[in-house]
Amino acid sequence: MGNPAGVRRDFEELEERRLQAAQLLREGVHQAEVARQVGVHRQSVSRWATQLQQGGMRALKKAAHAGRRARLRPEDLRRIEKGLKRGPEALGYATSLWTAWRVAHLIEQECGVKYHPVQAWRILRQLGWSCQRPAGRALERDEDKIRRWKQQRWPEIKKKPGKSAAPSSSSTKAD
């Protein structure tokens, strides 16, 4: 069943629930009734009962952490950020555009850890970087000429509403 995506688990509350169930089980309450009282599925109570028999109350204590241990240390993340600020040209790429593949390559070069490009973008978001698309602009573009044209020439050629004489109307009746 698992946890809905993005919802953090409260490990203390989960441990409290398991310990409450263990107490009820030790008092001789049936597993189905324990499940109803604690608010969990009967299979969870069955699993807890097995753990209680095999390892005692210690087996029902909370886990130290959830999920796989991170492969990158905080100092690795700082090195990656420095590499990102240097730009992709520092890795030998011709353009200054970071792609998922390039970021994954940077992580492998800096930290010796190989990641899929999707995971590389997750690491970027963790570092506070966002996905941005560069504006496509011509190399010959002259910003001063463009600004002058917008200020001087554009107002001259821009259509202006004409002086309105009589309001126009049309008949919607069929003759």
Side-chain angles (χ1 to χ4, degrees):
M1 205 153 114
N3 224 31
V7 176
R8 291 196 165 271
R9 291 178 283 182
D10 182 359
F11 292 105
E12 283 78 22
E13 191 253 321
L14 292 171
E15 178 183 10
E16 187 179 309
R17 196 183 311 176
R18 286 191 300 272
L19 296 177
Q20 180 186 0
Q23 183 62 37
L24 291 170
L25 287 169
R26 284 187 168 171
E27 292 172 4
V29 179
H30 290 284
Q31 289 183 7
E33 181 58 30
V34 171
R36 272 192 291 281
Q37 287 185 24
V38 178
V40 296
H41 198 277
R42 282 184 298 116
Q43 288 176 331
S44 296
V45 176
S46 176
R47 187 177 64 249
W48 297 341
T50 304
Q51 289 172 336
L52 186 62
Q53 276 183 333
Q54 293 174 351
M57 293 294 273
R58 178 176 284 165
L60 297 177
K61 292 286 185 184
K62 68 177 177 171
H65 62 82
R68 181 181 287 183
R69 180 167 280 122
R71 292 164 61 192
L72 296 174
R73 299 180 310 269
E75 56 268 17
D76 293 333
L77 295 175
R78 285 191 291 275
R79 282 203 325 251
I80 291 168
E81 187 144 30
K82 284 181 185 175
L84 289 168
K85 288 178 181 175
R86 282 193 308 266
E89 294 95 342
L91 285 175
Y93 293 107
T95 65
S96 62
L97 179 68
W98 279 115
T99 64
W101 293 100
R102 290 179 180 184
V103 173
H105 180 228
L106 169 73
I107 294 170
E108 188 174 359
Q109 291 288 9
E110 291 291 324
C111 308
V113 179
K114 191 169 184 157
Y115 277 114
H116 189 275
V118 171
Q119 183 63 25
W121 281 121
R122 289 187 185 126
I123 293 169
L124 280 181
R125 284 198 307 271
Q126 178 184 348
L127 292 170
W129 289 61
S130 63
C131 181
Q132 298 176 358
R133 192 173 298 270
R137 301 204 184 268
L139 295 174
E140 303 84 13
R141 186 178 170 97
D142 186 346
E143 295 296 332
D144 290 334
K145 284 184 180 178
I146 293 170
R147 190 176 355 87
R148 268 184 273 135
W149 186 89
K150 284 181 178 178
Q151 291 172 349
Q152 296 168 5
R153 183 75 177 118
W154 176 243
E156 295 172 9
I157 60 175
K158 184 179 170 186
K159 283 188 175 181
K160 296 179 182 121
K163 302 243 180 199
S164 59
S168 66
S169 64
S170 64
S171 173
T172 56
K173 281 187 178 181
D175 289 333

